[in-house]
């Protein structure tokens, strides 16, 4: 391990004697320090593994690099925000800030059975339950259930809301329960393995949280208080019932509260499934045993000891024995507790105020293996150099210290420093102090990982502290890859040799390559020169200048094609050190992979590819990339190289799965090589041939899909088919999920420096490419078979749920690839068409989840890929309006609200729409969006105006809608009536509303005339009485006077005449008046009228009855009647106008009307 000459921790205080007066900030008021003390500056360099070396200890970066989400959260979180971190012993860590919970795997996990590392999981973000108090990491537990590959998570809000995620990969799938704490606040959540977790409140109440699966296959979580044995008396047999710690039913009366300090869980020894729970409070220590055996008491309180008295006695005996006074005069604090061999270790502090304000700290071991309550410490060691002066206002500082116990060593820490001490040493033993003094830096959490103390620094992330002569990696007995501690650009030739990448070309061969006419060989020579001399690139640059002059071609320039060929050679190269390949004579890349093991060969190829990419970037070739043609289309060159990297990941993952799925893998490999027409020779086997051609690894998945299709069509039993599909999916998903993780982690590495035009190029990852080049068709086949012959055919609930989970993951991979492709062509002419196709395909493969009532699984995918149609249908089917409103908040920026509004309008669900938005207040952004939507849909905007009291605006909107309404007269009548009501309800004076009200009354009168039309007339003219459209005044008049209105009377013709004022055009009005009178004439047979008594005769005609009726209602006949001359010449009368009898009677009638009118006028005057 290389130690940097200038560490990030700079020595501030040299090692001194006990009389040194240098102050320390680790503990409050420290006067003297006898230690080697180092502080952390604000500088950081993650590529340096050793962060600091003191004379006694080494501080190093630990584990893999922090995920970007965690780094951003640390960087941009408010200084006043409550930030906390927890580190578990099984390789998981989690970060809490506000309601954000970030979970990631910090340690490279080794599969013991297969002796191989498991690829780390990506960082997952979850949302904690709502709370008025600050969340903290101590109230979160991340664990991996037995038989599960993915971790689960339980989180508790300070008020007691429990949220359980069966898998942290699916943030949207969780269940909740509530712990009835009656106002108490949660302190911590402790993992009890398969038994669940224990919630401890600040006043020492304990509750057991148990995640489970219901008989219906649904996840659930229960919460219940631990039960105290009936009549149990504690406190060392003093004879008083325990009231300081509350178990069982929570009290409703006032009791003496005991402040909780720490809860520790320890698994029973050997094959025992029991768990022991230690609860430390200010006054006492309790030991519980919990067992999974339901036939016995699941929890039992073994004993309780009065630890406060034990601490007082121990401090008095070791520190103040020679002084006057009694132990009762001491003030003591319980600070922390950790498990240790044979018991627990307690960190305590004490001050003898009557004698001196000097504060002392000590570590005491309590033996807990006996069934009897302990009465004294097994060992009790006051700590040197931790004394200070106590002031009452410093109580919070005193209680901030915690520790880690490791054998005979202990590491005390607070937010600013770590103090390494001996937990069994004499009082005069020296200590080692390391301070974290960088600007904004502080320690946020700590844990033991294996045998290594690990701390989380806000600036440096995870760091380990180990003795100077021992590496933490030796303690862990694990290996970390080169990429875990340094970037690809830090690789040197010596490091390449260490990793097995030996250059097998001589100087003469290298010279020959340099002048070779083949461009791929010459690029290979430049790469080898680069490896040979990483500091001087002159030879490589000279070759590249000759090889690749500037090329401005858009697609398939020589540079891109040659780079892709050499890259393919790198990943398809045969191991030169394997004699079995001697006779095969492969066209290798001249990077001789030293290992004879396939897995190590694949890992070496991956490292070689990374180095090749560094070479391309260092020599500025990467910036000149454009695109190349592939079987899937034209793609940016960097994306083609990314496909190669992903296929290496797939090959490594697939090989690691072979020991477990040997028969399946072997059968598929043989089919793949049969497809390639390859046969093992010279001692080589199927695995050697298959894993050499990494660029063709996708053929494995294609063959598996075809084989699965053959299985479901065979005569196998349905349940056998179900199990085979599940097994095949397990293999496929394990591989492809690691590929997707690689794609996410290395996205920045393969991003093109200059993106080619999206009109020419598109990004189609090999997992989404159609045909023989990719997995699109194969994954679609697996998805279909898993649904029809797997999930829907499974008899057992557990298998059915497993298959549906696999189906979710398969579809996730399908949609991820399609989404990548769609995003790459955004802004092009074909984007909209491709997007519509994608949305249609997305909906088709998610719809079956709704059909099968797998709503939560549908939600996982629909939320991730923004299928709003599926989300809305799901909420409608489950009648879950709260979830619909949640989606409106969650996807507000993605346009969910606009989509929902448009869908409701399209389906005419106006009531649902208005109820959703008007039933209860919405956030301002949603309300603004609704208002903008209503402006384009005035048929709904008036409802909002009514709700907001804007009655005049509502009335005017309805009036405008009524004017435009032509489809239904019934609807128009409602609009006119509502408009009139709204105007009358407004606060405006009648004078301001007079014109509008007059127009509305006119509209209502016209509508009433239309409603009076005989039904027979409407039917005869083709109108549906139930769907009667809005008719104009002219159309209504024509219906009143038409021939089909056989029962028309003078009243009908009077109505027709009354409608004339509604015709605005004067000419049209004049013509319509003439038509009405003509139709009135034609209603009678004038030739058959007896002329002996002409006056009596004409009074029986419709024409003159109308005249009488008009005159009766006050109309002047001179103004109403048309001119006699025009009537006699009207072509509408046909042959009647030639009848002398008609002419005579009409003239008599006109004369009679004229004389009668004059007589009336004379009489009135």
């Amino acid at each position: 391990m290389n130690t940097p000459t200038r560490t990030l921790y700079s020595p501030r205080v040299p090692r001194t004697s006990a009389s040194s007066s240098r102050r320390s900030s680790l503990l409050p008021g420290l006067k003297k320090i006898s230690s080697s003390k180092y502080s952390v500056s604000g500088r950081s360099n993650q590529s340096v593994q050793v962060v600091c070396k003191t004379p006694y200890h080494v501080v190093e970066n630990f584990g893999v690099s922090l995920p970007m989400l965690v780094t951003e959260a640390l960087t941009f979180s408010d200084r006043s925000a409550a930030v906390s971190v927890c580190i578990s012993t099984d390789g998981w860590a989690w970060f809490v800030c506000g309601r954000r919970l970030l979970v990631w795997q910090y340690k490279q996990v080794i599969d013991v059975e297969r002796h191989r590392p498991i690829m780390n999981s990506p960082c997952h973000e979850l949302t904690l339950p709502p709370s008025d108090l600050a969340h903290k990491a101590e109230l979160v537990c991340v664990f991996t259930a037995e038989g599960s590959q993915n971790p689960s998570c339980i989180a508790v809000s300070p008020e007691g809301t429990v949220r359980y995620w069966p898998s942290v990969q699916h943030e949207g799938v969780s269940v909740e329960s509530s712990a009835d704490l009656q106002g108490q606040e949660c302190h911590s959540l402790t993992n009890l393995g398969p038994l669940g977790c224990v919630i401890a409140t600040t006043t020492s109440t304990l509750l057991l949280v148990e995640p489970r699966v219901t008989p219906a296959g649904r996840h659930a979580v229960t919460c219940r208080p631990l039960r105290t044995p009936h009549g149990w008396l504690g406190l060392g047999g003093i004879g008083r019932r325990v009231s300081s710690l509350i178990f069982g039913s929570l009290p409703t009366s006032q009791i003496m509260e005991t402040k909780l300090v720490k809860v520790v869980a320890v698994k029973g020894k050997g094959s025992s499934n029991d768990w022991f729970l230690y609860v430390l409070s200010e006054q006492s220590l309790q030991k519980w045993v919990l067992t999974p055996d339901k036939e016995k008491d699941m929890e039992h309180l073994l004993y309780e000891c009065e630890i406060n008295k034990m601490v007082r006695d121990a401090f008095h005996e070791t520190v103040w024995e020679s002084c006057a006074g009694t132990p009762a005069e001491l003030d003591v604090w319980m600070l922390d507790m950790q498990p240790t061999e044979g018991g627990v270790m307690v960190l305590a502090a004490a001050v003898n105020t009557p004698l001196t304000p000097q504060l002392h700290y000590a570590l005491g071991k309590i033996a807990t293996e006996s069934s009897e309550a302990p009465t004294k410490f097994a060992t009790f060691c006051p700590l040197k150099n931790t004394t200070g002066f106590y002031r009452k206002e410093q109580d919070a500082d005193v209680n901030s210290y915690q520790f880690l116990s490791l054998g005979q060593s202990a590491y005390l820490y607070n937010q600013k420093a770590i103090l390494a001490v001996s937990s069994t040493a004499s009082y005069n033993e020296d200590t080692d102090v390391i301070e974290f003094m960088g600007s904004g830096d502080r320690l946020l959490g700590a844990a033991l990982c294996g045998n290594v103390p690990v701390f989380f620094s806000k600036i440096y992330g995870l760091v380990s502290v180990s003795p100077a002569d021992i590496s933490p990696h030796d303690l862990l007995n694990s290996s970390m890859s080169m990429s875990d501690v340094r970037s690809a650009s830090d690789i040197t030739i010596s490091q390449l040799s260490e990793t097995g990448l030996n250059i097998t070309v001589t100087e003469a061969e290298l010279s020959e390559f340099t002048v070779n006419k083949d461009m791929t060989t010459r690029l290979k020579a430049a790469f080898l020169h680069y490896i040979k001399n990483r500091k001087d690139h002159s030879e490589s640059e000279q070759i590249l200048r000759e090889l690749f002059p500037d090329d401005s071609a858009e697609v398939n320039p020589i540079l891109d094609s040659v780079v892709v060929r050499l890259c393919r050679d790198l990943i398809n190269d045969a191991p030169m050190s394997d004699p079995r390949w001697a006779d095969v004579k492969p066209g290798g890349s001249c990077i001789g992979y030293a290992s004879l093991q396939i897995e190590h060969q694949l890992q070496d190829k991956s490292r070689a590819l990374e180095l090749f990419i560094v070479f391309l970037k260092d020599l500025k070739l990467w910036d000149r990339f454009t695109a190349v043609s592939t079987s899937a289309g034209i793609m940016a060159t960097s994306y083609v190289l990314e496909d190669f990297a992903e296929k290496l990941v797939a090959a490594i993952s697939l090989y690691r799965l072979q020991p477990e799925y040997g028969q399946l893998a072997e059968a598929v490999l043989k089919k793949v090589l049969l497809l390639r027409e390859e046969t093992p020779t010279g001692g080589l086997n199927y695995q050697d041939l298959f894993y050499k051609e990494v660029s063709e690894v996708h053929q494995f998945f294609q063959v598996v899909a075809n084989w699965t299709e053959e299985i479901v069509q065979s005569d196998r039993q349905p349940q056998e088919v179900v199990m085979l599909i599940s097994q095949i999916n397990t293999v496929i998903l394990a591989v492809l999920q690691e590929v997707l993780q690689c794609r996410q982690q290395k996205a920045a590495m393969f991003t093109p420096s200059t993106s080619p035009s999206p009109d020419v190029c598109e990004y189609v990852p090999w997992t989404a490419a159609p045909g023989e080049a990719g997995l699109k068709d194969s994954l679609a086949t697996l998805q279909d078979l898993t649904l029809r012959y797997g999930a829907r055919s499974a008899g057992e609930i557990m298998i059915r749920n497993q298959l549906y989970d696999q189906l979710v993951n398969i579809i996730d991979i399908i949609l991820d690839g399609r989404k990548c492709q769609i995003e790459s062509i955004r802004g092009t002419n074909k984007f909209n068409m491709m997007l519509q196709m994608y949305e249609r395909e997305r909906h088709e493969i998610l719809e079956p989840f709704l059909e099968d009532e797998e709503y939560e699984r549908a939600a996982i995918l629909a939320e991730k890929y923004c299928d709003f149609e599926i989300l809305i249908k799901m909420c409608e089917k489950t009648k879950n309006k709260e979830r619909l409103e949640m989606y409106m908040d969650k996807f507000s920026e993605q346009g969910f609200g606009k989509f929902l509004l448009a869908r409701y309008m399209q389906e005419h669900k106006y009531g649902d729409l208005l109820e959703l938005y008007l039933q209860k207040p919405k956030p301002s952004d949603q309300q603004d969006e609704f208002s903008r939507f209503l402006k384009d849909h005035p048929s709904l905007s008036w409802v909002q105006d009514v709700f907001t009291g804007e009655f005049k605006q509502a009335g005017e909107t309805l009036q405008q809608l009524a004017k435009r309404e032509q489809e239904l007269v019934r609807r128009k009548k409602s609009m006119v009536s509502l408009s009139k009501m709204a105007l009358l309800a407004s606060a405006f004076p009648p004078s301001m509303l007079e014109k509008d009200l007059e127009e509305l009354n006119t509209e209502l009168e016209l509508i009433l005339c239309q409603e009076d039309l005989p039904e027979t007339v409407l039917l005869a003219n083709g109108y549906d009485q139930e769907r009667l459209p809005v008719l104009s005044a002219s159309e209504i008049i024509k219906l009143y006077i038409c021939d089909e209105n056989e029962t028309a009377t003078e009243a009908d013709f009077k109505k027709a005449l009354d409608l004339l004022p509604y015709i605005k055009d004067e000419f049209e009005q004049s013509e319509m008046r003439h038509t009405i009178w003509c139709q009135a004439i034609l209603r009678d047979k004038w030739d058959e009228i007896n002329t002996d008594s002409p006056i009596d005769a004409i009074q029986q005609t419709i024409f003159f009855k109308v005249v009488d009726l008009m005159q009766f209602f006050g109309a002047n006949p001179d103004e109403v009647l048309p001119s006699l001359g025009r009537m006699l010449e009207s072509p509408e009368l046909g042959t009647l106008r030639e009848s002398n009898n008609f002419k005579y009677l009409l003239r008599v009638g006109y004369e009679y009307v004229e004389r009668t009118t004059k007589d009336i006028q004379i009489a009135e005057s």
Side-chain angles (χ1 to χ4, degrees), residues 997-1123:
L997 292 174
E998 185 178 342
E999 289 182 2
L1000 293 172
N1001 288 332
T1002 300
E1003 293 286 351
L1004 282 174
E1005 291 170 359
L1006 188 61
I1007 291 171
L1008 290 174
C1009 290
Q1010 180 174 337
E1011 290 179 340
D1012 286 343
L1013 285 168
E1015 185 175 354
T1016 55
V1017 175
L1018 294 172
L1019 292 175
N1021 284 272
Y1023 290 109
D1024 182 1
Q1025 182 74 13
E1026 297 299 322
R1027 306 258 329 151
L1028 188 61
V1030 177
L1031 301 177
S1032 65
S1034 297
E1035 291 172 327
I1036 298 173
I1037 291 172
K1038 290 176 182 179
L1039 290 174
Y1040 269 116
I1041 64 176
C1042 67
D1043 294 336
E1044 290 79 3
N1045 191 4
E1046 296 176 353
T1047 60
T1049 65
E1050 64 273 21
D1052 293 316
F1053 284 90
K1054 164 74 166 51
K1055 291 178 182 178
L1057 290 170
D1058 290 340
L1059 289 171
L1060 289 174
Y1062 295 99
I1063 300 176
K1064 303 302 180 183
D1065 185 84
E1066 292 183 0
F1067 177 77
E1068 183 183 359
Q1069 185 182 111
S1070 175
E1071 290 299 309
M1072 186 58 66
R1073 178 182 288 107
H1074 179 74
T1075 301
I1076 294 172
W1077 288 113
C1078 288
Q1079 288 297 319
I1081 289 174
L1082 293 173
R1083 286 286 171 168
D1084 295 296
K1085 297 179 180 180
W1086 294 82
D1087 288 336
E1088 298 178 3
I1089 295 177
N1090 188 352
T1091 58
D1092 294 342
S1093 181
I1095 299 300
D1096 294 336
I1098 62 173
Q1099 287 181 346
Q1100 302 304 314
T1101 64
I1102 292 295
F1103 182 87
F1104 285 104
K1105 284 182 180 181
V1106 174
V1107 174
D1108 287 341
L1109 189 60
M1110 295 292 291
Q1111 193 170 15
F1112 176 78
F1113 282 99
N1116 188 341
D1118 293 339
E1119 298 176 358
V1120 175
L1121 280 172
S1123 66

Side-chain angles (χ1 to χ4, degrees), residues 207-315:
L207 301 99
L208 182 63
V209 178
E210 298 175 287
R212 60 188 180 88
V213 179
T214 66
R218 303 292 183 184
H219 291 284
V221 61
T222 59
C223 185
R224 64 174 180 83
L226 296 188
R227 296 184 295 272
T228 304
H230 179 68
W232 181 84
L233 300 178
L235 295 179
I238 293 177
R240 61 182 177 87
R241 187 174 301 276
V242 174
S243 60
S244 59
L245 292 175
I246 304 162
F247 302 91
S249 299
L250 298 183
T252 57
S253 60
Q254 292 293 326
I255 61 169
M256 180 179 65
E257 294 184 346
T258 300
K259 182 180 177 183
L260 182 70
V261 176
K262 189 65 174 284
V263 177
V264 170
V266 179
K267 190 180 184 304
K269 294 183 178 180
S271 60
S272 172
N273 292 323
D274 294 346
W275 282 76
F276 296 99
L277 195 69
Y278 297 94
V279 184
L280 176 66
S281 70
E282 288 179 329
Q283 302 296 326
S284 61
L285 173 67
Q286 285 192 340
K287 179 180 179 181
W288 287 75
V289 61
L290 290 92
T291 177
D293 190 349
K294 297 185 180 296
E295 296 180 359
K296 303 179 182 178
D297 289 338
M298 292 189 65
E299 64 265 7
H300 181 62
L301 180 58
L302 297 178
Y303 60 72
E304 180 178 24
C305 63
E306 194 173 6
I307 195 169
N308 188 280
K309 181 179 182 301
M310 293 167 55
V311 171
R312 291 176 191 273
D313 292 344
F315 265 115

Side-chain angles (χ1 to χ4, degrees), residues 725-951:
I725 290 175
S726 176
Q727 189 179 49
I728 289 169
N729 287 342
T730 300
V731 176
I732 297 299
L733 290 172
V735 175
L736 293 183
Q737 284 174 345
E738 290 197 13
V739 169
L740 291 187
Q741 180 181 340
C742 170
R743 185 177 298 165
Q744 295 170 359
Q745 292 176 342
K746 297 187 176 181
M749 177 187 295
F750 292 99
T751 300
S753 297
T754 54
S755 300
S757 171
D759 290 315
V760 178
C761 300
E762 60 183 88
Y763 172 39
V764 186
W766 64 283
T767 54
E772 297 181 358
L775 305 186
K776 179 182 179 181
D777 302 332
S778 302
L779 290 175
T781 299
L782 286 174
Q783 177 257 327
D784 179 60
L785 298 178
T786 301
L787 175 65
R788 292 194 293 136
Y789 299 97
R792 289 179 173 174
S793 301
E796 297 182 14
I797 292 178
M798 296 299 293
I799 297 298
R800 183 175 182 271
N801 287 336
Q802 181 181 2
L803 284 162
Y804 271 116
D805 286 339
Q806 291 175 345
L807 187 61
V808 168
N809 291 322
I810 291 172
I811 294 174
D812 185 21
I813 296 170
I814 293 173
L815 293 180
D816 179 81
R818 293 286 286 130
K819 184 179 178 182
C820 290
Q821 181 182 5
I822 297 298
E823 289 296 332
S824 69
I825 60 172
R826 183 179 292 276
T828 65
N829 294 330
K830 60 182 177 179
F831 173 75
N832 290 331
M833 180 189 68
M834 294 291 290
L835 180 62
Q836 290 177 3
M837 293 175 57
Y838 163 70
E839 290 174 345
R840 184 174 62 253
E841 293 173 7
R842 180 186 65 193
H843 189 273
E844 288 174 354
I845 60 178
L846 296 186
E847 184 78 27
F849 287 110
L850 298 185
E851 296 172 359
D852 298 349
E853 297 184 357
E854 293 292 334
Y855 299 121
E856 294 303 325
R857 293 181 172 92
I860 291 171
L861 293 167
E863 289 179 21
K864 181 174 182 180
Y865 294 100
C866 296
D867 193 324
F868 298 156
E869 182 78 14
I870 291 293
L871 294 178
I872 295 171
K873 285 184 177 180
M874 180 186 68
C875 293
E876 290 175 344
K877 285 193 172 187
T878 58
K879 298 180 180 179
N880 194 336
K881 293 183 180 179
E882 291 77 12
R883 189 164 194 166
L884 189 63
E885 292 178 355
M886 182 270 286
Y887 287 141
M888 292 172 66
D889 293 334
K890 184 173 183 178
F891 298 109
S892 59
E893 295 182 0
Q894 286 79 18
F896 182 88
K898 187 176 181 180
F899 182 90
L900 178 64
L901 291 168
R903 186 176 184 272
Y904 276 171
M905 288 296 296
Q906 183 179 358
E907 297 181 359
H908 304 293
K909 295 182 177 180
Y910 308 126
D912 293 340
L913 188 153
L914 295 171
E915 181 182 1
L916 183 64
Y917 276 89
L918 301 178
Q919 193 171 34
K920 57 183 179 181
K922 290 288 182 294
S924 59
D925 57 337
Q926 294 183 22
Q927 201 61 48
D928 292 343
E929 183 179 47
F930 185 51
S931 298
R932 290 192 298 271
F933 177 82
L934 291 180
K935 287 181 180 179
D936 297 329
H937 299 84
S939 58
L940 293 178
S941 65
W942 66 271
V943 180
Q944 187 190 35
D945 292 333
V946 171
F947 271 86
T948 57
E950 298 290 337
F951 295 111

Side-chain angles (χ1 to χ4, degrees), residues 1074 1126-1127 1129-1135 1137:
H1074 179 74
R1126 185 179 180 188
M1127 291 301 296
E1129 296 175 359
S1130 296
E1132 292 90 344
L1133 299 179
T1135 58
R1137 62 181 178 176

Side-chain angles (χ1 to χ4, degrees), residues 28 307-320 326-335 347-354 356-363 377 380-383 386-391 395 398-399 401 427:
I307 195 169
N308 188 280
K309 181 179 182 301
M310 293 167 55
V311 171
R312 291 176 191 273
D313 292 344
F315 265 115
H316 187 267
E317 181 180 344
T318 57
V319 180
W320 289 289
T326 64
E329 296 176 343
L330 302 182
D331 292 321
V332 297
W333 295 266
M334 310 302 144
L335 305 182
L347 174 63
V351 64
N352 191 344
T353 306
T356 173
Q358 194 169 23
L359 185 67
H360 291 264
Y361 293 82
L363 287 169
F377 286 97
F380 191 82
C381 301
L383 303 179
T386 59
T387 57
F389 291 106
Y390 170 71
R391 291 188 295 272
D395 271 359
V398 173
N399 284 279
Y401 309 128
Y427 189 76

